[in-house]
Amino acid sequence: MGGSPRRKPTRLAGYDYRTPGVYFVTVVTRGRACLFGRITEEGLVLNDLGRVVEDVWTRLPNHYPHLELDAFVVMPNHFHGLVFLKPAAPVVGEGFKPSPSANRRHGLPEIVRAFKTFSARRINALRGTPGRRLWQRSYHDRIVRDETERDRLREYIANNPLRWHLDRENPAAGGKGCGGPGDGPRT
C-alpha cells in the first residue's frame, strides 16, 4: 500500500482548545531554516523577518479580543510563546438574542494558523516569494496546568537565546552555522 505516512496527531484528543487557560506554543520554520536573525555573544539579534514575526504576534489580540499574550521569543528558526485564552465576556446584543458571531470564540489552532499565515504573507512579500511555505506544517502546544509550570515556561522562554548552543532546534552543534557565538556576520 503506497502513499504518504500517516501523521501522528499533535493535539490532545478530545480537548477543546477554545477552553480558557494558558497555553505554551512552539512554531518552527520549514526545514529549520534560520531566517529570523542570529544569536551573538551579546544575545538575540532579530533581522527584518524576525521583527515581522514579532510584530504579527503582538498584534494578534487586535483580532482575537479573548487572547492575552504573555512571554514570547523569536529565535533564528523557531518561536515560543505563552498565551492566555480569557473566559468569554457576557455578550449584550440587540433584542433577546445576540448575533451568532458574537459568541464565536476562536481556539488555539485558529490563532496559531492566523499567526503562521499573517507572518508568512508579510515575510514572503518582503522576500519576493509569494506562496512559499515558511513554517512547518504543525506546531507544538502544551496546556499549562498551574502557575508553577507557567513561571517555569516564562523562564525557559527568557533563557532560550542564552541556551541556543544546546537547543534542539539549532541545526548545528555548538551553536555554529545558525547565528551562534563565533559565527561571522550574516548577509
Side-chain angles (χ1 to χ4, degrees):
M1 198 183 279
S4 60
R6 288 184 58 165
R7 291 179 61 86
K8 182 176 90 170
T10 56
R11 309 287 76 81
L12 181 62
Y15 185 81
D16 183 355
Y17 280 90
R18 294 172 298 184
T19 302
V22 178
Y23 299 87
F24 175 67
V25 175
T26 300
V27 185
V28 180
T29 59
R30 184 171 190 220
R32 290 182 167 72
C34 295
L35 302 173
F36 305 138
R38 59 193 179 100
I39 306 294
T40 68
E41 291 176 6
E42 291 79 37
L44 177 63
V45 179
L46 294 179
N47 60 23
D48 289 344
L49 305 182
R51 285 187 289 278
V52 166
V53 171
E54 187 174 66
D55 183 61
V56 168
W57 182 257
T58 59
R59 291 175 186 252
L60 284 174
N62 297 340
H63 303 280
Y64 304 101
H66 64 289
L67 174 67
E68 187 175 301
L69 303 179
D70 200 303
F72 69 91
V73 65
V74 180
M75 295 292 289
N77 64 356
H78 65 283
F79 172 88
H80 295 297
L82 277 170
V83 299
F84 174 51
L85 297 184
K86 299 182 282 190
V91 177
V92 178
E94 291 184 28
F96 295 109
K97 288 184 177 179
S99 71
S101 63
N103 288 325
R104 181 164 161 80
R105 286 183 51 83
H106 298 312
L108 187 65
E110 163 65 18
I111 292 165
V112 173
R113 183 206 59 77
F115 167 66
K116 290 168 69 173
T117 300
F118 297 155
S119 59
R121 281 184 189 154
R122 284 186 52 194
I123 286 171
N124 283 333
L126 283 173
R127 297 192 304 177
T129 56
R132 182 179 285 174
R133 284 188 50 204
L134 176 70
W135 300 104
Q136 285 185 3
R137 185 172 173 191
S138 192
Y139 63 95
H140 170 78
D141 71 81
R142 178 167 180 80
I143 302 162
V144 180
R145 289 170 171 67
D146 58 34
E147 287 183 25
T148 302
E149 184 177 10
R150 184 201 61 209
D151 291 344
R152 183 181 57 77
L153 288 165
R154 282 177 175 159
E155 184 176 331
Y156 174 81
I157 289 169
N159 291 325
N160 206 240
L162 301 173
R163 299 178 49 80
W164 177 242
H165 65 285
L166 302 172
D167 197 313
R168 72 177 181 204
E169 298 303 340
N170 184 343
K176 302 281 185 196
C178 192
D183 277 356
R186 296 247 189 267
T187 56

